[in-house]
Amino acid sequence: MFSIYFSFRKVMQGLFSILETELQSYIHFADRLDNFNTMYMLVKIGHFVITTQLSGSPVSYLSQQLGNCLISVKRLFDKFISNLKKQIEEMKIPKTKKCAILPFVTKFEEFAGISESVFKNSDRRNDLDKAYHHLIRKNYHHLFRVLTRLKIVCLENEKREAKKKYNDSQKMYVKEMLGRPMEKINIFFEGVQERIAAGVKEDEVGYQLAFSKQELRKCIKEYPAKELKKGLEHLYRKVEKHLCEEENLLQVVWHSMQEEFIQQYKHFEDLIQRCYPGSMINLEVTINDILVYFSNIAQSH
């Protein structure tokens, strides 16, 4: 079966050798024509790719090519959001005597109006939500501290609101910046959970080729202690550029990132115990290692 499948792929590659080049050219042309086109492509191509993956059938030549296209489209979409965020940050407020709607509010309204119609009921909704967080995130850390310190009774409601928005904003920032440090393991276990949701028993998932013990071990080996520590050091430098030292904001956020990382780690451990009982499979690092990494990195800066 596999020999026939790979022979078929070889034939298709010979017949359509320029397909990938043409698809990539079209994607970049559409992006140059209008950046909003990347949203349409992200939704349509993403839906096709995830539908193919969930069907459980062998990946066709076309779906493989579109999978490569999806990576390119996602990069263009991220670039679009990054540029839009930069435009909002650099937008100058007109020095007029009259009050008016701030320019970046109108810019965001335009983006939201189009994107909501494009991403409606889409499997890629998470990408849009992340974009929203990038564009409208505010920092209520200082405001909450001030209201707490001054203890102005009439501003108790405002203090609670500031605290809520501060906590929400911090959580968004932590999730976006930390991301998924062990991405391939995340993807692996997402597949495991999809199989369980489809009716496969937890202790039988490992008998499927794509989710065997051997495949899990391969994923885990991608994240040795040295690489994880290196990634965390790079993350700290990025966060350090974003956050000030006032009121220990940097330390507060770094501690929240540590907690989020540990939660991801415990989630992996739980799935390994449930789906691969008695396998003696462990991640390359321990929770204590993670705590030491976070502590040492913070102390060294």
Side-chain angles (χ1 to χ4, degrees), residues 65 132 147 262:
Q65 296 303 316
Y132 280 155
L147 293 177
I262 289 174

Short mmCIF file of all heavy atoms in Angstrom, two decimals, residues 65 132 147 262:
data_model
loop_
_atom_site.label_atom_id
_atom_site.label_comp_id
_atom_site.label_asym_id
_atom_site.label_seq_id
_atom_site.Cartn_x
_atom_site.Cartn_y
_atom_site.Cartn_z
N GLN A 65 0.86 19.82 -0.84
CA GLN A 65 1.25 21.10 -1.40
C GLN A 65 0.54 22.26 -0.70
O GLN A 65 1.13 23.30 -0.40
CB GLN A 65 0.95 21.14 -2.91
CG GLN A 65 1.74 20.14 -3.74
CD GLN A 65 3.24 20.32 -3.58
OE1 GLN A 65 3.74 21.45 -3.60
NE2 GLN A 65 3.96 19.23 -3.42
N TYR A 132 -6.04 39.95 17.64
CA TYR A 132 -6.74 40.96 18.43
C TYR A 132 -5.94 41.34 19.67
O TYR A 132 -5.79 42.51 20.00
CB TYR A 132 -8.10 40.41 18.88
CG TYR A 132 -9.19 40.46 17.83
CD1 TYR A 132 -10.27 39.58 17.89
CD2 TYR A 132 -9.15 41.38 16.78
CE1 TYR A 132 -11.27 39.61 16.94
CE2 TYR A 132 -10.15 41.42 15.83
CZ TYR A 132 -11.21 40.54 15.91
OH TYR A 132 -12.21 40.58 14.98
N LEU A 147 -4.22 52.64 42.49
CA LEU A 147 -5.52 52.66 43.16
C LEU A 147 -5.49 51.86 44.46
O LEU A 147 -6.15 52.22 45.44
CB LEU A 147 -6.60 52.10 42.23
CG LEU A 147 -6.90 52.94 40.99
CD1 LEU A 147 -7.93 52.25 40.11
CD2 LEU A 147 -7.40 54.33 41.39
N ILE A 262 4.87 25.18 33.54
CA ILE A 262 4.70 24.01 34.39
C ILE A 262 3.33 23.36 34.16
O ILE A 262 3.20 22.13 34.18
CB ILE A 262 4.89 24.39 35.88
CG1 ILE A 262 6.37 24.69 36.14
CG2 ILE A 262 4.42 23.27 36.80
CD1 ILE A 262 6.68 25.21 37.52
#
